[in-house]
Amino acid sequence: MSVALGLNRPLVVRTTLVGDPGDLLARLPEAAPYAWIRHGEGLVAWGEAARVAVPPGPRRFEWARDWLSDTFGEAHVDDDVGAPGSGPVAFGSFTFDPDAQGSVLVVPRVVLARRDGRAWLTTLGEERLDLVTPLRDPGRIRYGDGSLTAPEWEHAVARAVRQIRSGRLEKAVLARDLTATAEREIDVRLLLSRLARRYPGCYTFSCDGLVGATPELLVRHTGETIESLVLAGTVSRGTDEADDMARGAALFASEKDRYEHTCAVESVREALAPLCSELKVPEEPELLVLSNVQHLASPVTGRLSAGASVLDVVAAMHPTAAVGGTPTETALDVIRELEGMDRAGYAGPVGWIDARGDGEWGIALRCAQIEGRGARLFAGCGIMGDSAPAAELAEAQAKLRVMQYALEG
């Protein structure tokens, strides 16, 4: 039995078309905002009609799918739109490690969405107006070391390199965290607005305090069609146009980065092939240029066998080689040995799903976990046999600057 509005009764859902709401993020009230925005389109939401902590373990995505099936299946739905993201929607965040606590699904009370020239409003239960207050600046930010200092993290990278050269594995992705403390309570809406403005091509997200702008689309599920964007191989932006182009060309020609990217693409191919009747994987990557870094990117498309939910695809794909390593189980062991921390939701799946099983899920990169005046920032790097610890530290610091900008403006 689903838990809705704190009671054992079905959800009552109403979706209607509305006029263009303008900036979706500007419509969010301060309390517990949810968001999934790219190029100004997507979903924002607030309130909680239903919430569940997903039990850890190898079957957690199956458990989540069944809970949603029960919750949405009992709902009374009046949907005038019938598009992906209309009707009842759940936002979710899953921990990177399947054995870690902290995965959550939330069915918001109000969802405001815009897609392909149409906008709609979904309400669950009685419609209420929620007060939109001005954005609050958090004031001065103080940073501190996370689980490892910079030298300690470089040492961990060196240890991973030695294990890769020994033949134990081909690649390991090591994450680094940084703590931040603000003068005043952090307004998640301010972070979202800064991220969406500066990184419009990324997926700006917020779910249960996990906030960020990820460039990596794990899967978009629309009907039987799925799309994924594989990112692996990174270089920082240049000091001018010529330097920028030279760095991009060097990244594209880098044997280390191309091999890292190939590992990531193959892991996605292996995960999706059993689920798909058709699968298209490009032979060569392309360059994805963001405001702070450039990535090697491969867009993958496919057609699912009938009846599969977006969560089935997420379960098959997570963790990809882009955030774990190759081979997966060995890489996860190395991560546990060397990182010295719980990643929580960092590098885990984050996104939304509707009652049809459609949805969009990304990998929670370029993100921070926000609680009151505190934040925990994350970044990670793919470590290969020829990785240089100092270069990997510089890459991690470049990635951390995304959330530092969100906090500082």
Side-chain angles (χ1 to χ4, degrees):
M1 178 69 72
S2 63
V3 180
L5 297 170
L7 302 173
N8 291 328
R9 64 188 186 198
L11 301 171
V12 178
V13 185
R14 174 80 171 124
T15 298
T16 56
L17 288 167
V18 296
D20 190 340
D23 182 359
L24 291 171
L25 293 171
R27 300 301 186 109
L28 282 171
E30 186 172 353
Y34 297 84
W36 183 266
I37 297 292
R38 182 174 183 264
H39 289 310
E41 293 203 336
L43 297 79
V44 297
W46 56 94
E48 292 184 2
R51 160 188 280 267
V52 68
V54 179
R59 294 169 58 87
R60 59 185 178 151
F61 294 108
E62 183 180 345
W63 190 97
R65 184 196 63 201
D66 292 344
W67 182 84
L68 286 168
S69 178
D70 289 344
T71 302
F72 290 161
E74 296 172 356
H76 301 302
V77 181
D78 185 2
D79 182 359
D80 294 340
V81 179
S86 70
V89 169
F91 282 74
S93 168
F94 288 82
T95 57
F96 172 81
D97 190 327
D99 294 328
Q101 299 279 351
S103 300
V104 65
L105 288 170
V106 176
V107 180
R109 188 171 47 78
V110 182
V111 180
L112 181 62
R114 179 172 54 227
R115 179 175 176 151
D116 299 330
R118 294 195 297 172
W120 59 88
L121 179 71
T122 299
T123 55
L124 287 77
E126 296 182 6
E127 186 169 350
R128 273 176 37 191
L129 293 177
D130 292 84
L131 181 62
V132 178
T133 56
L135 301 181
R136 291 182 298 99
D137 191 280
R140 187 176 59 187
I141 308 294
R142 292 185 293 105
Y143 294 101
D145 287 324
S147 303
L148 299 176
T149 65
E152 288 171 340
W153 193 79
E154 286 185 286
H155 180 63
V157 171
R159 290 176 62 191
V161 168
R162 287 196 293 271
Q163 296 202 37
I164 293 167
R165 290 177 178 173
S166 75
R168 183 183 179 193
L169 73 166
E170 296 178 71
K171 172 188 174 182
V173 180
L174 293 185
R176 182 166 184 245
D177 63 341
L178 190 69
T179 64
T181 305
E183 281 187 272
R184 295 179 287 276
E185 188 168 334
I186 298 169
D187 187 340
V188 166
R189 300 171 304 160
L190 180 62
L191 308 189
L192 292 171
S193 65
R194 287 172 172 170
L195 290 169
R197 184 170 59 247
R198 185 151 182 170
Y199 306 100
C202 291
Y203 298 86
T204 298
F205 63 87
S206 172
C207 181
D208 201 42
L210 186 66
V211 181
T214 181
E216 190 145 358
L217 177 68
L218 185 62
V219 60
R220 176 184 295 115
H221 180 299
T222 308
E224 293 182 355
T225 301
I226 58 169
E227 304 166 60
S228 182
L229 182 63
V230 184
L231 301 182
T234 306
V235 69
S236 58
R237 294 294 301 273
T239 55
D240 54 35
E241 184 176 355
D243 184 34
D244 207 37
M245 292 180 64
R247 289 180 184 226
L251 174 64
F252 202 80
S254 165
E255 183 177 343
K256 177 258 186 189
D257 289 291
R258 290 293 291 266
Y259 184 67
E260 179 185 348
H261 189 80
T262 297
C263 290
V265 170
E266 287 307 308
S267 77
V268 170
R269 188 200 303 270
E270 291 173 8
L272 291 180
L275 297 175
C276 292
S277 56
E278 300 175 18
L279 188 64
K280 296 180 180 179
V281 181
E283 294 183 2
E284 291 277 319
E286 57 192 48
L287 278 178
L288 175 65
V289 180
L290 303 175
S291 64
N292 61 324
V293 294
Q294 301 182 64
H295 294 291
L296 293 178
S298 289
V300 176
T301 59
R303 182 168 294 277
L304 285 178
S305 304
S309 157
V310 68
L311 284 182
D312 296 318
V313 183
V314 172
M317 294 182 69
H318 179 74
T320 68
V323 294
T326 309
T328 300
E329 291 305 318
T330 305
L332 294 180
D333 288 340
V334 170
I335 288 169
R336 295 183 183 110
E337 290 170 16
L338 300 182
E339 277 188 357
M341 69 175 185
D342 177 4
R343 289 188 178 187
Y346 170 72
V350 61
W352 61 270
I353 178 174
D354 66 18
R356 289 169 287 271
D358 288 337
E360 292 182 313
W361 289 76
I363 299 175
L365 306 175
R366 318 295 195 272
C367 64
Q369 186 70 43
I370 308 299
E371 185 173 355
R373 295 170 50 237
R376 187 177 173 215
L377 287 60
F378 300 92
C381 300
I383 311 304
M384 307 292 287
D386 57 353
S387 291
E392 300 299 340
L393 179 64
E395 180 181 322
Q397 289 171 330
K399 293 173 177 176
L400 286 168
R401 280 197 287 272
V402 172
M403 289 309 300
Q404 289 176 308
Y405 162 77
L407 287 166
E408 298 169 12

